[in-house]
Amino acid sequence: MRSLCVSVVLLQLVGTSLCQFPRLCANSEGLRTKECCPVWEGDGSACGALSGRGFCTEVQVSDEPHGPQYPHSGIDDRERWPLAFFNRTCRCAGNYGGVNCGECRFGYWGSNCAEYRESVRRNILTLSSAEQQKFISYLNLAKNTISRDYVISTGTRAEMGENGENPLFSDINTYDLFVWMHYYVSRDAFLGGPGNVWRDIDFAHESAAFLPWHRVFLLHWENEIRKLTGDFNFTVPYWDWRDAQSCEVCTDSLMGGHSSLNPNLISPASVFSSWKVICTQPEEYNSREALCNATGEGPLLRNPGNHDPNRVTRLPTTADVDFTVGLPEYETGPMDRFANMSFRNVLEGFASPETGMAVPGQSTMHNALHLFMNGTMSSVQGSANDPIFVLHHAFIDSIFERWLRTHQPLRNSYPRTNAPIGHNDGYYMVPFFPLYRNGDYFLTDKALGYEYAYLLDPGQRFVQEFLTPYLQQAEQIWQWLLGAGILGAVIATLFAVLVVVARRKWKRNQRRKRASSYAERQPLLHSSSEEGSSYQTTL
C-alpha cells in the first residue's frame, strides 16, 4: 500500500492536506476496525505519538440538534460525520496537522511547524502572462495526475459490508478529487429504492457552513497544487467580478473562450476544451441509487450571458458587495435559504443585496455568477468541474474576510444549534479527513496563513501586485543569478588585472623610448632638407 506521506521533506514544507479517503485507511481493515490513525514515517508511530505530534483517539461528534429541514436519522453516511466510516482518528497537538499529524496546520511551516508564513492571493487579471499560463498549466497537470494519497468511495458504507469485506474505493485525479468532494457534500440523500431521495439536504450550502466549508476547500485545493508542482509559493488567484459586464476571464489566454463551432463549448485553443466533466448527472445517480464514480461524462459546458434573465437580472456590483458586507448578522431566522437580513444568505445569493430580504425564484451574488455561466457551473453538484469555480469562490471568500474584519464577530455569532444538518458550530465538515469543525473556521484568513491583495493597505498592495512577482521569480532562479554574479565578478577581476598589466607595460615602453631619444644623434625620420628637423623628437 502506497504511503500516505509524499515524503518527510515535503510534509515539512506544506500545510495540512485533505483526505477523502486516505489510501492507508481505505481498505477492509480500516472499515472493520473503524480506525484511521496512520503511522507517521518520521518516528514510525501512529499519529507521530512518539514525537509528541498527536495521538489516536475516539471521535467526539456534536449531539446538538439540527433544524427541521432534514427529518430523517441513520440513513445517510454523512450524518454524524465521520462515524459511518471511522470512530477513531488522529488528534494533532500544537501546530501539527494532517491525517497522521506529520504535517502542519494551515499557515505553519517547517520540520517543527513553528514558522508562520503568510501567502497573498492575487487577482488573476493582474498576474503577468507567464503567471497566468503557469496557473493554467497547474490546473491541467492536476487534471491529468492520479492522486497519490487519496481515493474516493464509489458506494455507500452499507454496500461495503458490515465488516468492510467489500471496500468500494477508486483512484481519481487530483483535480477531480475536489469535484467529487463538492458533489458528495451536496448530493441528495438516498431513502431506499431507485429515485427515492430527500433533496432538502446539503452539508455545504444553504446555511451557515457555506462560507467556512468553502474556505477549507480552497485551502486544501491550494496545498494539493503546491505538493503536486513543488511550487510552495503558489496561491489561489481570484476573479474580482464586481461591476463586470461579461465573463472577463473567458478568453483563450485564460479560462477559455467560446468555440466558433458551438457557443456552449470551450474554444479548441484552450486546454479546457479537452476536459471531461464528472458528477454532472444527479438524476441518473438518484434513479440508480448510486454514487457518482467519477467516470467522464462529456465536455465542459459554458455559455456566459445566455442564462435565464428572470432568474439572474444582473451581475453583482460594488454597491451590492458593500451592502452585503454591511449586514451585521451572520445568520438569522431559519438559517436556510429563506433567511432575511442574513449576511451569509445574501452573499450566497438567496436574498437581495439591496434589501437583505429573501427572494425566492431569483439568484443574486454568489449564485448569480454560477447561473450566469450557463453550463457546467450552473449545477451545484457538478459546478467545481469548471476551473472558474476556484476563481469565483476565492473572491467569495475574500468578501467573507471583509465581513469578518468589519464586524469582528465573537465565536457565538456562529449558530451552535438548530441550523440545517451539517451546519452547526460543532459539526465536522463533510467529507474532510482530518476533521474540521465548522465554527473553527469562523475566523480571519490571517490566522490561516493567507491574505487577499486587494484587502491590503496601498503600500502592501503595491509590493504584492508589482514587486512580489519579480522577487518570487528571482527566488526561483537565485542559484543561476548567484552563479552569474560570481562569473561576472571573476571576469571583471581578470579584466581589471589585464588593464593594470597592460598599463604598466605601456608605461615601461614609454620610459624606454624617452631614454633612447636622449641618446639619438640622427633624426628618427629621414626627411628632405626642406622639412628641417621638426620630426626629430619621439612625438
Side-chain angles (χ1 to χ4, degrees), residues 165-220:
E165 57 269 20
N166 182 38
L168 296 172
F169 298 101
S170 175
D171 285 337
I172 193 167
N173 68 62
T174 301
Y175 188 94
D176 286 349
L177 172 68
F178 290 88
V179 178
W180 188 91
M181 290 177 64
H182 196 261
Y183 148 79
Y184 187 80
V185 75
S186 58
R187 69 175 179 83
D188 299 331
F190 300 145
L191 299 181
N196 187 18
V197 299
W198 187 265
R199 300 180 186 276
D200 196 6
I201 182 172
D202 193 315
F203 292 79
H205 301 86
E206 301 187 20
S207 192
F210 168 67
L211 293 166
W213 190 93
H214 285 85
R215 171 160 283 194
V216 172
F217 179 90
L218 288 175
L219 284 164
H220 281 313

Side-chain angles (χ1 to χ4, degrees), residues 196-443:
N196 187 18
V197 299
W198 187 265
R199 300 180 186 276
D200 196 6
I201 182 172
D202 193 315
F203 292 79
H205 301 86
E206 301 187 20
S207 192
F210 168 67
L211 293 166
W213 190 93
H214 285 85
R215 171 160 283 194
V216 172
F217 179 90
L218 288 175
L219 284 164
H220 281 313
W221 192 90
E222 194 170 61
N223 280 333
E224 283 306 293
I225 296 297
R226 288 173 176 172
K227 292 200 300 183
L228 177 64
T229 63
D231 181 358
F232 301 110
N233 290 318
F234 171 77
T235 55
V236 174
Y238 60 87
W239 172 30
D240 185 345
W241 36 247
R242 289 174 296 181
D243 305 311
Q245 300 299 310
S246 63
C247 180
E248 300 165 319
V249 297
C250 295
T251 64
D252 284 343
S253 61
L254 286 174
M255 299 294 102
H258 281 301
S259 167
S260 60
L261 301 178
N262 186 337
N264 295 314
L265 298 179
I266 306 299
S267 167
S270 168
V271 297
F272 305 119
S273 66
S274 63
W275 280 24
K276 300 299 181 184
V277 299
I278 66 170
C279 303
T280 60
Q281 301 172 359
E283 294 306 319
E284 179 185 336
Y285 315 139
N286 290 346
S287 67
R288 293 188 290 111
E289 197 180 17
L291 296 181
C292 164
N293 62 8
T295 299
E297 297 172 345
L300 182 65
L301 302 177
R302 189 195 302 148
N303 193 348
N306 290 281
H307 57 283
D308 180 358
N310 295 319
R311 185 69 181 269
V312 177
T313 59
R314 59 179 175 79
L315 289 179
T317 65
T318 298
D320 293 337
V321 173
D322 292 344
F323 174 88
T324 304
V325 170
L327 292 168
E329 298 296 325
Y330 180 76
E331 199 60 272
T332 63
M335 296 179 282
D336 57 18
R337 62 183 181 275
F338 302 109
N340 294 320
M341 304 305 291
S342 156
F343 163 73
R344 187 277 314 162
N345 203 36
V346 174
L347 180 55
E348 190 169 358
F350 295 106
S352 168
E354 295 176 306
T355 66
M357 306 302 289
V359 284
Q362 290 191 12
S363 296
T364 66
M365 300 299 285
H366 157 266
N367 291 345
L369 263 293
H370 277 277
L371 293 181
F372 173 80
M373 292 301 163
N374 192 35
T376 305
M377 272 274 280
S378 301
S379 169
V380 174
Q381 295 180 21
S383 58
N385 279 288
D386 193 325
I388 291 178
F389 177 95
V390 175
L391 306 178
H392 174 41
H393 271 276
F395 193 61
I396 291 295
D397 185 69
S398 77
I399 298 173
F400 177 35
E401 179 61 26
R402 278 186 61 187
W403 185 86
L404 288 169
R405 295 186 189 184
T406 298
H407 300 281
Q408 301 181 358
L410 299 176
R411 174 68 175 265
N412 60 16
S413 298
Y414 190 93
R416 302 188 64 84
T417 185
N418 293 321
I421 187 171
H423 292 263
N424 284 342
D425 180 296
Y427 210 98
Y428 287 120
M429 296 180 182
V430 177
F432 292 112
F433 285 100
L435 304 177
Y436 301 101
R437 295 185 189 274
N438 293 320
D440 290 340
Y441 292 85
F442 188 68
L443 76 172

